[in-house]
Amino acid sequence: MNQKNIVITGGNRGIGNGLLKIFSEEHNVVITVRDKEKGEQAIQELKGLDNILDYVVMDVNSNEMILNGREEIKEKLGHVDLLINNAGIFIKEHNLQAIETSDETILKTFNTNTLGVLRMCKSIVPIMPNGGRIINVSSGMGQLDDMESGFTAYRLSKTSLNSLTKILSKELSNLGIKVNTICPGWVRTDMGGDNATLSIKESASHIFAFALDDEFPNGQFLRHGKKIPW
């Protein structure tokens, strides 16, 4: 397996940190964080490896920070083979019906979970070679085929992210870049809670195996490497 240059957004905790740990064993990895101290801590835990491990301070809600971060990433890695858009938020108005959910919650969630991904893609694609890959971390809660009530802001943001994935998969194919969206499963993180069925390590291992597989598809929605309905 050739060594890859990988960028993971939100890599200091949860699934992002699990991905950092597993990818860093063999590949060059730069994570994005919103807090310098948390970035330092995440990287220090893995010191001693020969490959490039680093972080950039970046908020996916800020175009300026993303562009500045892109220049830092370019300096550290040169190019990016794999972008994993993992950063996201979940505002706990989940017990409210759609007609009771505030505009502020919906717009704030959409800005991070959907537009934040688009901002990252706009920034990273220019330094991504032919054969590059993008993985957008979505959720089964954004799946129209199995849509339920509640969690309105989060569901809308992830359904929109799935649509964005399809659009990008078409538009970037002429550059040789493939784009897919994944559901990581129900994971024991701050967002998923203690009752979730998967550990961070289990979920990250599934994503790792899929991300570097020779049979990487394009424009698909997947869970644990298997296609699921939109």
Side-chain angles (χ1 to χ4, degrees), residues 56-123:
V56 297
V57 177
M58 181 191 295
D59 186 337
V60 298
N61 291 335
S62 167
N63 279 311
E64 182 180 0
M65 291 186 75
I66 286 178
L67 290 175
N68 291 339
R70 191 261 306 277
E71 294 309 305
E72 288 189 54
I73 290 168
K74 189 175 180 180
E75 289 178 8
K76 298 174 190 300
L77 297 177
H79 69 274
V80 176
D81 298 300
L82 170 64
L83 168 63
I84 301 180
N85 286 306
N86 164 75
I89 61 171
F90 174 69
I91 299 174
K92 295 185 178 180
E93 279 192 7
H94 56 270
N95 58 328
L96 299 179
Q97 293 184 352
I99 59 174
E100 299 172 330
T101 303
S102 68
D103 290 2
E104 180 184 4
T105 293
I106 292 171
L107 292 171
K108 186 175 181 180
T109 306
F110 183 82
N111 191 36
T112 298
N113 293 0
T114 310
L115 292 182
V117 171
L118 179 56
R119 293 185 190 105
M120 282 300 300
C121 290
K122 287 179 179 179
S123 177

Side-chain angles (χ1 to χ4, degrees), residues 26-45:
E26 298 179 355
H27 303 280
N28 301 318
V29 184
V30 172
I31 60 171
T32 75
V33 297
R34 290 187 295 176
D35 182 276
K36 181 178 179 180
E37 290 184 3
K38 292 179 179 179
E40 291 280 2
Q41 182 179 353
I43 296 302
Q44 285 295 329
E45 292 175 355

